[in-house]
């Protein structure tokens, strides 16, 4: 007997696949999402596709141009600025907490991620680099030991990954992540916050440059 996949599981699977296609660039800004076509592609009914699209609207990946036309969202410089302002406020704070609270096991896990990032950088494997770098930031936030902080960043994590995906200055990212790790491992919250602040602002400028080909970006206040 064929096992029937629960509707909720189908919706999550379709949502995750569409989200990943947007982040990876298979679905580009302005591309239209048509329920019927997506349902045929995934081999599902239109109901979970409709719910997946609504979830992606809530996450900021797609939007309704008209009641009958849904497209992948076109990012603006202000979108990036606002998201990085939030990232600066929360991730810099998280780095300081992590420096105070990280255990030897925590640090070993981050070191392992850095080793994987180094190997992926040498291989110029964009998918692995993006995944590992995202995991590294998630791990630092988790090391802060503040569940509300984690919850505050969770809704925007996917959009951050989407924005930074086209930043291919991978060797520089690896250097910055190593310096941030060393600052956290030192146990000095001020040093960790300073490195986190530098990293976020450098990444902001690089992201705007790669997304919009702008050499000069407005600083985050």
């Amino acid at each position: 007997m064929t096992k029937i996949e629960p509707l909720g599981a189908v919706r999550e699977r379709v949502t995750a696949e569409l989200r990943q296609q947007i982040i990876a660039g298979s679905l580009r800004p302005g591309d239209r999402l048509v329920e019927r076509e997506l349902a045929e592609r995934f081999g599902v009914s239109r109901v979970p596709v409709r719910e997946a699209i609504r979830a992606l609207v809530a996450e900021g990946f797609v939007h309704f141009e008209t009641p009958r036309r849904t497209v992948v969202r076109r990012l603006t410089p202000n979108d990036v600025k606002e998201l990085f302002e939030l990232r600066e406020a929360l991730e810099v704070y998280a780095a300081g907490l992590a420096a105070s609270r990280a255990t030897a096991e925590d640090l070993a896990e981050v070191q392992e991620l850095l080793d994987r990032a180094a190997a992926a950088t040498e291989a110029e494997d964009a998918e692995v680099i993006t995944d590992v770098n995202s995991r590294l930031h998630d791990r630092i936030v988790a090391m802060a030991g503040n569940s509300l902080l984690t919850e505050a960043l969770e809704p925007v994590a996917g959009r951050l990954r989407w924005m930074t995906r086209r930043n291919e200055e991978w060797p520089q990212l690896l250097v910055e992540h190593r310096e941030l790790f060393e600052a956290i491992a030192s146990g000095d919250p001020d040093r960790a916050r300073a490195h986190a602040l530098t990293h976020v602002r450098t990444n902001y400028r690089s992201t705007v440059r790669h997304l919009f080909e702008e050499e000069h970006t407005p600083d985050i206040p």
Side-chain angles (χ1 to χ4, degrees):
M1 181 179 296
T2 303
K3 185 176 180 180
I4 299 176
E5 189 177 10
L7 179 60
V10 176
R11 179 188 66 243
E12 291 302 318
R13 175 167 58 84
V14 173
T15 303
E17 179 61 28
L18 288 174
R19 184 191 299 115
Q20 181 55 35
Q21 288 181 14
I22 293 171
I23 291 172
S26 301
L27 285 171
R28 301 182 63 81
D31 283 354
R32 188 178 180 187
L33 301 182
V34 181
E35 285 184 14
R36 174 179 50 80
E37 294 176 358
L38 292 173
E40 291 176 358
R41 185 197 307 175
F42 289 110
V44 300
S45 73
R46 293 174 66 168
V47 173
V49 171
R50 186 177 305 123
E51 293 179 352
I53 288 174
R54 288 173 179 166
L56 293 172
V57 168
E59 292 179 18
F61 286 100
V62 304
H63 74 111
F64 298 114
E65 280 193 339
T66 71
R68 293 182 174 274
R69 182 179 177 83
T70 307
V71 300
V72 178
R73 184 174 178 178
R74 295 178 178 86
L75 294 170
T76 68
N78 193 59
D79 290 331
V80 180
K81 182 172 181 289
E82 289 183 347
L83 201 53
F84 270 81
E85 285 174 342
L86 178 64
R87 182 182 178 189
E88 179 176 309
L90 299 181
E91 287 195 9
V92 172
Y93 181 59
L97 290 178
S100 300
R101 300 174 178 176
T103 65
E105 183 179 353
D106 290 331
L107 296 175
E109 290 179 9
V110 176
Q111 182 62 66
E112 182 179 351
L113 288 171
L114 283 171
D115 291 342
R116 291 176 58 193
T121 298
E122 185 173 351
E124 299 185 348
D125 189 329
E127 293 301 321
V128 174
I129 291 170
T130 301
D131 178 64
V132 173
N133 285 345
S134 295
R135 290 174 183 269
L136 187 147
H137 280 278
D138 290 345
R139 192 73 199 94
I140 290 173
V141 172
M143 280 161 40
N146 186 310
S147 61
L148 291 178
L149 187 60
T150 302
E151 291 172 10
L153 276 165
E154 186 174 1
V156 300
R159 266 184 289 170
L160 276 170
R161 190 173 181 181
W162 181 27
M163 289 180 183
T164 58
R165 173 64 176 80
R166 287 180 59 187
N167 178 4
E168 297 184 353
E169 298 176 15
W170 300 323
Q172 178 60 30
L173 280 173
L174 181 60
V175 169
E176 292 174 20
H177 285 156
R178 281 173 168 162
E179 291 176 345
L180 177 58
F181 168 70
E182 290 171 1
I184 291 172
S186 75
D188 183 341
D190 289 338
R191 179 182 171 190
R193 283 191 291 266
H195 278 278
L197 179 61
T198 298
H199 173 55
V200 170
R201 292 191 170 181
T202 300
N203 197 218
Y204 165 62
R205 289 189 290 270
S206 298
T207 298
V208 170
R209 185 166 61 251
H210 284 275
L211 283 175
F212 310 109
E213 297 182 352
E214 295 182 9
E215 289 299 326
H216 301 287
T217 59
D219 286 334
I220 300 174

